Amino acid sequence: MSGWAGTGVADNGAMTDTTAVDERWAVFHRWGPYGLLAVGTLVSWSAADAVGMTTAERRASGALVAAAVVLQLVWNRAARTRPDPSAAGSCYYAVRWAIGFALTWMNPLFAFYAVAGYFGAQHLLPRRLVGAGLFATAVTLAGSQSGGLPPHGVMGWVLFGAILTVNSMLLALFAHFAALEEARGRARVETIAELERTNTALQQALDENAALHAQLLVQAREAGVADERRRLAAEIHDTLAQGLTGIIAQLQVVANTPDPDLAREHMDRATALARHSLGEARRSVHNLAPVALADDGLPGALEKTVTEWGERTGVRAAFTATGTAEPLHDEVAATLLRIAQEALSNAARHARAGRLGVTLSYMDDEVTLDIRDDGRGFDPLAVPARTRAGGFGLDGMRARAERIAGSLTVETEPGHGTAVSARVPLVRHD
């Protein structure tokens, strides 16, 4: 019985475990019956006299043993093309059981061969016949265990019935265990299949993520290049373009004045502007802070810038700082200075103002920069067309403020001056 129990587990395992286990059981089903037949024959013939085997029975058993060998040879060839339960497998199982039953009837010790019926029943028989095949094998073994077939007397039949009942109960128990193992095997197969599907989906996701990552890298690189181009363009506009504009204005004064002292003064201003612009251009290429911030803080740089602008343009310009001045982050200070320079440049070119005021205000969590003039103002609806034609202007100032999470507003109308206000977070210098 223990042999059958192992077979049930192993047959289920053959469907669910490794290929190596399948191969080992295939070898047993091919050669195991030969071994069991050899053991049963050797033991039975050795004890033939003890069990009272007649000469005719010995001859008959020899013929049946030969028939069993031939049966196994034929089946081993046929099984190569019939791996699953089939009619041929059922016939093979039935003939093998009949030979085992007849041999056990002659000598109970031939049960060593009859026990082969417990092995491979599920492999050979259709599911509806597995129970019948196992019960038939249990009848043969119960006859052997009760002293031989047929049972002798009432007690012999009682003993045979009791042993058969026990064997049948064990069959049912082991069949239950086998069913549980088969269910676990199916669950493992389904789990493995689900894991394979999950792994496949995960691999696809990883491949897609890798492709997306590569695409993002390309886009980030392109965005970085574009951002650097915009930065350099804005810096060139704020430094070289404005410097050249100032130099041209000074040289025009030199060309139109007969006063040598005045001409020399404006030539000196043009030279200073050229040197200043050259330094700013170099610092822009290396993404350094403006020259004005290298020596002074933001209030000092703004005051110096407003004073020099007023001297160049002849406009009364004043700078005022309110609140408690604090050291600002380099990017914040540079952004506010560049916005002020652009606003002053726009005022010089377009405003025709008589007065201009610049106010820097430090508050709890933000800094504001206000530039107001009493010039001629302009129509805000016309600004997009003008900025597209002329460069950066208001859009450039607004982009600078928004780059550091700030904002920029413009209040103006024709004939009533212009007010530019930039608000940025107060981020202190490390």
Side-chain angles (χ1 to χ4, degrees), residues 251-259:
L251 293 178
Q252 286 177 343
V253 174
V254 173
N256 296 326
T257 181
D259 186 351

Side-chain angles (χ1 to χ4, degrees), residues 200-263:
T200 301
L202 179 60
Q203 186 60 46
Q204 292 176 350
L206 290 175
D207 294 340
E208 292 174 359
N209 286 341
L212 180 60
H213 181 66
Q215 182 180 357
L216 290 177
L217 287 178
V218 173
Q219 293 177 351
R221 190 179 298 110
E222 293 176 351
V225 171
D227 186 68
E228 183 65 11
R229 287 176 177 172
R230 287 193 295 269
R231 184 190 71 80
L232 287 175
E235 291 293 334
I236 291 172
H237 175 268
D238 293 342
T239 56
L240 292 180
Q242 295 183 18
L244 291 174
T245 300
I247 292 171
I248 291 172
Q250 300 302 320
L251 293 178
Q252 286 177 343
V253 174
V254 173
N256 296 326
T257 181
D259 186 351
D261 293 333
L262 183 59

Side-chain angles (χ1 to χ4, degrees), residues 150 234 381:
L381 298 178

Side-chain angles (χ1 to χ4, degrees), residues 34-247:
Y34 289 121
L36 293 174
L37 180 62
V39 172
T41 302
L42 179 62
V43 174
S44 298
W45 287 353
S46 298
D49 294 334
V51 298
M53 226 178 147
T54 65
T55 302
E57 289 176 336
R58 293 185 185 184
R59 292 175 181 174
S61 65
L64 289 175
V65 169
V69 172
V70 173
L71 174 67
Q72 192 63 36
L73 287 172
V74 173
W75 175 247
N76 284 345
R77 288 189 177 184
R80 297 175 183 176
T81 58
R82 297 177 178 84
D84 297 324
S86 61
S90 300
C91 291
Y92 162 72
Y93 187 90
V95 174
R96 190 180 65 180
W97 173 85
I99 294 174
F101 181 83
L103 289 172
T104 304
W105 187 286
M106 298 176 190
N107 189 325
L109 296 178
F110 270 113
F112 282 103
Y113 174 67
V115 79
Y118 282 144
F119 294 90
Q122 295 179 349
H123 176 69
L124 296 170
L125 299 176
R127 182 179 295 272
R128 68 181 184 278
L129 298 179
V130 170
L134 294 175
F135 181 77
T137 301
V139 170
T140 303
L141 294 183
S144 173
Q145 293 163 355
S146 63
L149 294 171
H152 301 287
V154 176
M155 289 304 300
W157 282 101
V158 171
L159 179 61
F160 169 78
I163 294 176
L164 180 59
T165 301
V166 172
N167 285 347
S168 298
M169 294 175 62
L170 291 176
L171 279 175
L173 180 62
F174 289 133
H176 176 69
F177 290 154
L180 293 178
E181 182 63 24
E182 184 178 359
R184 284 195 293 266
R186 286 196 300 269
R188 285 197 297 269
V189 170
E190 293 174 358
T191 301
I192 292 173
E194 182 63 27
L195 287 175
E196 290 177 350
R197 289 193 294 269
T198 303
N199 289 337
T200 301
L202 179 60
Q203 186 60 46
Q204 292 176 350
L206 290 175
D207 294 340
E208 292 174 359
N209 286 341
L212 180 60
H213 181 66
Q215 182 180 357
L216 290 177
L217 287 178
V218 173
Q219 293 177 351
R221 190 179 298 110
E222 293 176 351
V225 171
D227 186 68
E228 183 65 11
R229 287 176 177 172
R230 287 193 295 269
R231 184 190 71 80
L232 287 175
E235 291 293 334
I236 291 172
H237 175 268
D238 293 342
T239 56
L240 292 180
Q242 295 183 18
L244 291 174
T245 300
I247 292 171

Side-chain angles (χ1 to χ4, degrees), residues 290-309:
V291 174
L293 293 174
D295 301 324
D296 302 312
L298 180 61
L302 285 174
E303 183 175 11
K304 183 177 180 180
T305 299
V306 171
T307 300
E308 292 178 350
W309 180 86

Side-chain angles (χ1 to χ4, degrees), residues 7-25:
T7 302
V9 175
D11 283 344
N12 289 327
M15 296 183 290
T16 58
D17 293 338
T18 63
T19 303
V21 174
D22 295 342
E23 292 177 352
R24 285 196 294 269
W25 275 106

